[in-house]
Structures are given as C-alpha cells and as structure tokens.
Amino acid sequence: MNFRTEIDLPKKDADIIRHESLIWTIGSCFADNVGDRMLADGFETEVNPLGTLYNPLSILNSVSSLVRGKVYTPADLLLHEGKYRSYDFHSLFSRSSAQDTADFINGTLERLRSQFERLATLILTFGSARCFRLKETGQPVANCHKQHPGLFALDDLTVEVCAEAISETISLLRRVCPRLTSIILTVSPIRHKAYGLHADKLSKATLLLACEKVISAQGSAASPGTIPPLSYFPSYEIMMDDLRDYRFYAADMVHPSEVAVDYIYNRFKEVYCTDVTRAEAASRLRAFRRSLHRPR
C-alpha cells in the first residue's frame, strides 16, 4: 500500500536551469531556501536580492523601482529604533545612517540593473495575498518594520489584483531583459499561522488562482515534453499533498524542514534541469561541502 500521494511531475529533462546562465529568485523566504541550494549547486544565482517580499503587489513595487531607475534619497526613508528604513524593502537594507541606507539600496538596484542583459531565468515565489498599507497614504508596504499596527491597514488582495501585479512584474522585466527566456511561478509552502489557518488557506488559494490566471492568459503553447517560457512549479502542492506530515516541518510547525526543502528542490531540478546539469550540480555541491571543512 502506498501511504503517500506523490505529485505527478513528468520528467521533462528541460535545459532551463543551467550553470552558465544567470538566475534570480525573488519573493518570500522560500525564495531564499531554494536560492541558497542553487548557489551550493554552483548555479549563478541572485538569491532574493530585493529582500523578502511576500505578496505580488510588494514584488511589483520593488521590481518597478528597479526597472524604472528609481533613486532613493534620505527623504524616502523613516527612522525607527535607531535605523533608517524603507517601506519598499526588508529590514536587511536598514542602516544607522539615512545616507548609508539610501546608498545601500541604490547600490543594490544598480548592481541588478547591470545584470539585465544577462538574466536568463526568473523564479517568483509568492507567500501571501495579504498586503499592509500605510493608513496615511494608502501606500502598500513591503515591510512594516515592527512598527505600531495602528499605522497600517490590512488589505486582502483579490485574485484579479494579484494576477495584474504578477503580469506587470513579468512585463517590466521582459522589457529590459532580452535574454529572459524562462519565468517560473510558485507558491511558498510556508504557513502564515499568525493570520489564522483559515485565512492562510484563503490567501494561498488566491495566489494559486492568480498564478493560473496569468499562465492561462500569457502562457504560450509548448511542444510535448518541453517547458513553456512561463510555467508554474507546485512547491505548495508538494508540501501539502505529497509530504503532508508534521515530521516534514521545522520545530515551529510553520516552515518546511531542511529535508522537505531538499525534497522540493530536487523535484524542481527533475523538471527544469537535464541529467547532465544535475550531475554537474551534484559534483559542485560535493566540492562546496568539502570547502566548508577545509582548515583555515
């Protein structure tokens, strides 16, 4: 008797994720989980370079700033708990000086702009369809920076708003990245338990429907056995319907365990990498692990 329901992912052996191509992962902290493993496998990867972004609208806003060449100044920042911060970016971008914060944000954006000509694959990972807005202006914020909740209003984004944001994000990057031939959408399996489990399920359902809407509208037909330029990878479904057991969660019962992320990532490589690429990735991973144990 089979006590698991494996997600049917026909082996495509697709030549999409390559060692000689530049890859970006953008989105929720699951984008970090996957991106870190890609780096260890020797892939040239920018791992969540815009910081953790959970919902499609926040991702769009940050990508829009990147593509449209926005330059941040100290006037764009807020001071909270001794650090200058931006509502557009994660607290990792925060510094004790306003100018240092602006310089770090601008330097990151400029570095990413220099990669537009080389970007080949984009992995967008959506964690939530809930968005916080600054009450004073209605501005969507990527991060509340642990300020008083009364400053913000919670907005449950609709399928239509999410789909439009995803489509616009794709359109912006395709406009400036001539070699961007593969875009992969996925929904993070990380549970946002603070919302309440029912609200989290509704949020994930909204994201799943939005991804399906975008792919149905933009997805081009692919030949049998090939992956279209815009595709969906079922990270969330693998966690929920294949692993489906608390032993595959970390101690917080919210994040997937290292074993679970490894499993999802290996299924990902089965779809988007050739046998040759996977063998090369395994070789580079062994070399990477050896390097961690070299005496200094």
Side-chain angles (χ1 to χ4, degrees):
M1 182 178 292
N2 188 354
F3 289 98
R4 286 175 53 208
T5 307
E6 291 190 47
I7 300 295
D8 185 19
L9 291 176
K11 185 171 175 295
K12 300 291 186 181
D13 200 37
D15 190 19
I16 290 176
I17 303 297
R18 310 173 186 174
H19 285 98
E20 62 270 21
S21 299
L22 177 61
I23 302 157
W24 286 4
T25 71
I26 292 177
S28 78
C29 44
F30 191 69
D32 292 288
N33 296 152
V34 172
D36 288 343
R37 281 161 174 77
M38 298 185 81
L39 278 179
D41 276 354
F43 294 104
E44 186 181 3
T45 310
E46 283 283 355
V47 182
N48 237 358
L50 297 173
T52 305
L53 300 166
Y54 294 101
N55 68 78
L57 197 55
S58 293
I59 291 174
L60 170 61
N61 288 344
S62 291
V63 168
S64 180
S65 295
L66 170 66
V67 172
R68 300 185 194 283
K70 179 172 179 176
V71 176
Y72 285 80
T73 69
D76 297 314
L77 308 175
L78 64 132
L79 177 61
H80 179 61
E81 294 184 341
K83 288 192 175 182
Y84 288 87
R85 309 165 187 271
S86 169
Y87 281 128
D88 292 342
F89 295 97
H90 191 270
S91 57
L92 291 175
F93 285 81
S94 304
R95 298 291 184 272
S96 56
S97 157
Q99 191 59 57
D100 286 349
T101 301
D103 288 346
F104 185 68
I105 292 172
N106 292 330
T108 299
L109 296 180
E110 193 56 39
R111 177 174 58 79
L112 293 174
R113 290 180 190 120
S114 72
Q115 297 178 0
F116 282 167
E117 290 291 328
R118 298 179 51 240
L119 180 61
T121 299
L122 173 68
I123 304 170
L124 291 173
T125 303
F126 307 106
S128 172
R130 290 192 142 191
C131 175
F132 287 93
R133 295 181 184 271
L134 196 61
K135 283 184 179 179
E136 185 178 357
T137 63
Q139 167 196 353
V141 300
N143 199 292
C144 298
H145 300 294
K146 297 183 179 179
Q147 295 186 98
H148 192 281
L151 294 172
F152 307 97
L154 181 60
D155 185 5
D156 286 307
L157 304 177
T158 65
V159 172
E160 290 70 25
V161 169
C162 288
E164 184 176 346
I166 296 169
S167 295
E168 181 63 16
T169 299
I170 292 170
S171 177
L172 283 170
L173 286 170
R174 278 179 170 166
R175 195 179 307 160
V176 296
C177 301
R179 298 186 182 181
L180 181 55
T181 56
S182 178
I183 298 173
I184 302 165
L185 309 181
T186 191
V187 172
S188 169
I190 297 171
R191 304 193 303 164
H192 293 266
K193 198 164 61 172
Y195 295 168
L197 294 180
H198 178 65
D200 181 55
K201 289 292 189 295
L202 293 177
S203 176
K204 298 293 190 186
T206 298
L207 294 173
L208 293 169
L209 289 168
C211 288
E212 181 65 22
K213 189 178 182 72
V214 171
I215 289 176
S216 296
Q218 294 193 22
S220 56
S223 303
T226 63
I227 302 292
L230 177 62
S231 63
Y232 176 79
F233 180 77
S235 300
Y236 177 77
E237 294 86 339
I238 291 173
M239 189 72 197
M240 294 296 108
D241 297 318
D242 182 350
L243 301 181
R244 197 180 175 79
D245 191 302
Y246 277 110
R247 65 195 167 110
F248 293 112
Y249 282 90
D252 63 5
M253 296 296 132
V254 170
H255 292 77
S257 68
E258 292 296 307
V259 170
V261 178
D262 285 341
Y263 178 77
I264 294 170
Y265 175 58
N266 286 328
R267 298 301 309 270
F268 176 85
K269 286 191 293 184
E270 288 176 12
V271 176
Y272 292 102
C273 299
T274 64
D275 288 336
V276 172
T277 298
R278 288 196 297 277
E280 176 66 19
S283 174
R284 296 193 186 201
L285 178 61
R286 288 192 294 271
F288 171 73
R289 287 173 173 168
R290 285 196 300 271
S291 72
L292 298 179
H293 295 285
R294 287 176 182 169
R296 294 183 182 273

